[in-house]
Amino acid sequence: DVKVTQSSRYLVKRTGEKVFLECVQDMDHENMFWYRQDPGLGLRLIYFSYDVKMKEKGDIPEGYSVSREKKERFSLILESASTNQTSMYLCASSSSGAYGYTFGSGTRLTVV
Amino acid sequence: KQEVTQIPAALSVPEGENLVLNCSFTDSAIYNLQWFRQDPGKGLTSLLLIQSSQREQTSGRLNASLDKSSGRSTLYIAASQPGDSATYLCAVAHSGYSTLTFGKGTMLLVSP
């Protein structure tokens, strides 16, 4: 089975800190995605990548950046964390979408 | 812009009942539709993937149907159990390289 691993289940960071959320997949998928999930708002796409060193903005990219230096790893970066970035962050990967998406277990980030 | 709606937002049933969760989408030109399950505080687990050329998919007590022309999908759960309690999300993709558009989910509670 495809596995998507998010490095942290829970994180607490201070306002203004630079935060790195890491995601690794083990099935050579081309596509990787970062979503955030908030009550009442559902899942919203932050950034995605179709290949190494490629990135595309999703619906809510402001305040975030990403890095994909290797095919298996997709990092989400909060340049200067703010309290409104407190959320559940979900990483996913897919192989051209034909076989659907696989999600990681999520990172619950709290910014204080 | 694609919009995905799930009705009802919440559902409470006694153990043993058969139930149907509904998902509708506004743009029928989809590539596939995926149903996910999410337990509280966890990531998304894929349940069923229906390609646009298919009418239904089955896995154990779960059956998902797709009517592309009317923009609808249903997830049927037979003989519900307390372990089925979770939030169920549907999501659609427009191509093998497109991102997913999610509904906001149906929160299911199955009481013993």
Side-chain angles (χ1 to χ4, degrees):
Chain A
D1 279 351
V2 176
K3 197 162 186 179
V4 178
T5 302
Q6 294 184 232
S7 54
S8 304
R9 288 296 309 277
Y10 301 95
L11 275 179
V12 180
K13 297 292 182 180
R14 295 194 179 277
T15 301
E17 273 193 76
K18 190 169 186 176
V19 181
F20 293 85
L21 303 184
E22 306 288 345
C23 176
V24 177
Q25 50 95 3
D26 65 359
M27 282 298 289
D28 203 36
H29 281 178
E30 301 90 357
N31 311 321
M32 297 188 74
F33 309 85
W34 276 106
Y35 288 84
R36 66 177 281 178
Q37 186 179 32
D38 301 286
L41 297 177
L43 278 92
R44 294 179 291 168
L45 181 64
I46 305 171
Y47 267 98
F48 58 104
S49 169
Y50 290 141
D51 203 348
V52 176
K53 297 194 184 295
M54 292 183 63
K55 59 184 179 183
E56 299 284 344
K57 293 180 179 180
D59 300 319
I60 52 164
E62 298 77 18
Y64 303 95
S65 63
V66 289
S67 171
R68 195 167 181 200
E69 296 296 319
K70 293 184 179 181
K71 192 174 186 179
E72 68 270 18
R73 185 182 296 271
F74 192 36
S75 302
L76 180 69
I77 303 158
L78 286 65
E79 297 290 343
S80 178
S82 64
T83 54
N84 63 13
Q85 292 178 310
T86 292
S87 187
M88 169 70 99
Y89 289 87
L90 293 161
C91 175
S93 72
S94 75
S95 176
S96 304
Y99 301 101
Y101 282 47
T102 300
F103 277 80
S105 56
T107 296
R108 170 73 65 183
L109 173 67
T110 302
V111 182
V112 297
Chain B
K1 183 182 175 183
Q2 177 74 275
E3 291 184 6
V4 179
T5 303
Q6 292 187 245
I7 294 174
L11 181 63
S12 182
V13 300
E15 181 177 6
E17 272 203 14
N18 303 323
L19 57 100
V20 174
L21 307 181
N22 296 292
C23 173
S24 62
F25 44 95
T26 54
D27 183 350
S28 62
I30 66 169
Y31 181 73
N32 59 35
L33 183 146
Q34 199 166 357
W35 282 93
F36 295 90
R37 168 188 172 133
Q38 186 176 31
D39 294 295
K42 302 287 179 64
L44 277 64
T45 300
S46 181
L47 297 174
L48 290 163
L49 173 69
I50 311 178
Q51 303 295 345
S52 62
S53 58
Q54 297 175 319
R55 299 281 299 191
E56 65 178 331
Q57 282 286 338
T58 299
S59 176
R61 294 183 293 110
L62 305 179
N63 176 277
S65 67
L66 175 63
D67 184 343
K68 243 182 57 167
S69 60
S70 67
R72 293 180 184 174
S73 176
T74 61
L75 179 66
Y76 175 81
I77 302 177
S80 59
Q81 303 171 357
D84 295 330
S85 299
T87 296
Y88 292 80
L89 299 118
C90 73
V92 299
H94 281 284
S95 74
Y97 295 92
S98 75
T99 60
L100 286 179
T101 302
F102 281 87
K104 291 186 178 179
T106 294
M107 186 182 300
L108 173 66
L109 176 65
V110 182
S111 304

